Amino acid sequence: MRKEVIFTGSKGEKIRAFEWSGKKATIIFAHGYNGRKEDWEEWPEILAEKGYRVITFDFPPPHELKHNVEILESILNKIKGKVGLVGYSLGGTAAINIAAKNKNITCLVPFVAPHAYFTNETGKHNIQINTLDKAKLVKCPWLMFYATEDSVVPFKQGKDLFAVANEPKKFVALKGVDHDLDIETANQSLIEMTKWFGRYLGGKNGKKKRT
C-alpha cells in the first residue's frame, strides 16, 4: 500500500515522496527535469507487489543537477541496506553521480540520462558535472536504456557512458523511440529492469540470488 512521506534535505528542504513497504531491498525512482513522482505510473506498484520497498519523490526546486544530487543523497542517508536506483533523464544523471560514491547502491538503472547536455523547449543545457569521470567510479551493475531517436539526449551519449562503465553492464537500445517512452517500450523496459533487479538486487533483505 502506498503512503505519503516527507524527507528533509540537507538544507531543510521538504522532499515529498510516496513509499510502498516491502521486505526486500529498496528501489528509488528519480524523475527527470521538471518531472514529478507520479510520472513513473504503475512501475513502483508492480515492483512493490514483488516485495520490494519502493520510493518515488519530487525534486524540490531549483531543478539543477548539483542540487538534485544533494537531494538524492539526503534520501539515501535515510535508507539502510542495499538500494536499486532508477533515474530518468536528468534524474538518471544525478543517480550516476551518487552511485559513484555511495556503496549502498547495488544496482543502477539510468534511462536516457545525459552526461554532456540535453535540449528541451527552453534550449540547450550543459551538464556542469563531469559525469563521464563519475561513471568510471561506479562499481555496481549497470542497466542502461537509451532511445535511438531521442531529440533531447542524443543516443551517442548513452554509448559514451557504456564505453566507460565497469562490468557487469548491459545496454538496451530503445529503437525508434524519442525521449518519452511509449506504452509498449515502457512495458518491455520494466520487464528488463525487473530481471536485472532479480539477478543483482536479490531477494529478501537484498540477498543476491545464486547464479
Side-chain angles (χ1 to χ4, degrees):
M1 180 180 294
R2 189 185 81 181
K3 63 180 180 180
E4 295 186 16
V5 297
I6 295 178
F7 295 95
T8 302
S10 61
K11 299 177 182 177
E13 307 97 329
K14 298 300 182 184
I15 307 167
R16 301 188 180 278
F18 291 145
E19 179 180 351
W20 292 257
S21 297
K23 294 183 178 180
K24 294 182 180 180
T26 301
I27 298 174
I28 298 175
F29 287 86
H31 65 69
Y33 187 81
N34 285 338
R36 56 189 188 133
K37 59 185 179 297
E38 291 85 359
D39 290 348
W40 298 102
E41 299 182 355
E42 74 275 8
W43 285 10
E45 198 84 47
I46 291 172
L47 289 167
E49 289 174 356
K50 296 182 180 297
Y52 294 104
R53 178 192 183 195
V54 183
I55 295 172
T56 68
F57 67 96
D58 289 328
F59 283 112
H63 299 296
E64 299 171 353
L65 179 57
K66 183 178 179 181
H67 180 255
N68 287 357
V69 171
E70 292 173 352
I71 292 297
L72 188 51
E73 188 168 31
S74 295
I75 295 174
L76 285 163
N77 287 340
K78 307 293 193 302
I79 307 298
K80 295 181 180 180
K82 296 179 179 179
V83 175
L85 187 53
V86 184
Y88 199 90
S89 195
L90 196 62
T93 309
I96 293 167
N97 280 272
I98 284 291
K101 60 181 179 178
N102 191 305
K103 295 181 180 179
N104 286 339
I105 297 174
T106 311
C107 282
L108 178 62
V109 184
F111 278 83
V112 294
H115 74 78
Y117 67 90
F118 65 95
T119 306
N120 61 12
E121 65 278 2
T122 62
K124 182 177 178 180
H125 301 262
N126 292 319
I127 301 300
Q128 301 300 320
I129 299 175
N130 191 328
T131 302
L132 277 183
D133 281 350
K134 297 288 187 180
K136 297 173 185 177
L137 301 176
V138 175
K139 303 301 182 184
C140 68
W142 290 64
L143 175 62
M144 307 180 193
F145 293 85
Y146 282 88
T148 60
E149 307 303 317
D150 200 327
S151 59
V152 177
V153 178
F155 183 68
K156 183 181 181 300
Q157 290 195 40
K159 288 293 189 180
D160 292 341
L161 277 170
F162 187 73
V164 301
N166 294 304
E167 296 282 357
K169 60 183 178 179
K170 182 176 181 179
F171 187 92
V172 179
L174 305 174
K175 296 180 180 179
V177 177
D178 203 337
H179 195 68
D180 296 323
L181 308 187
D182 56 43
I183 293 176
E184 181 179 354
T185 304
N187 289 340
Q188 290 300 316
S189 299
L190 177 61
I191 292 171
E192 286 278 356
M193 184 169 58
T194 302
K195 290 178 180 177
W196 197 257
F197 285 145
R199 181 176 182 183
Y200 290 109
L201 193 56
K204 188 174 181 180
N205 296 323
K207 183 181 291 185
K208 294 181 182 179
K209 292 182 178 179
R210 293 183 178 179
T211 55

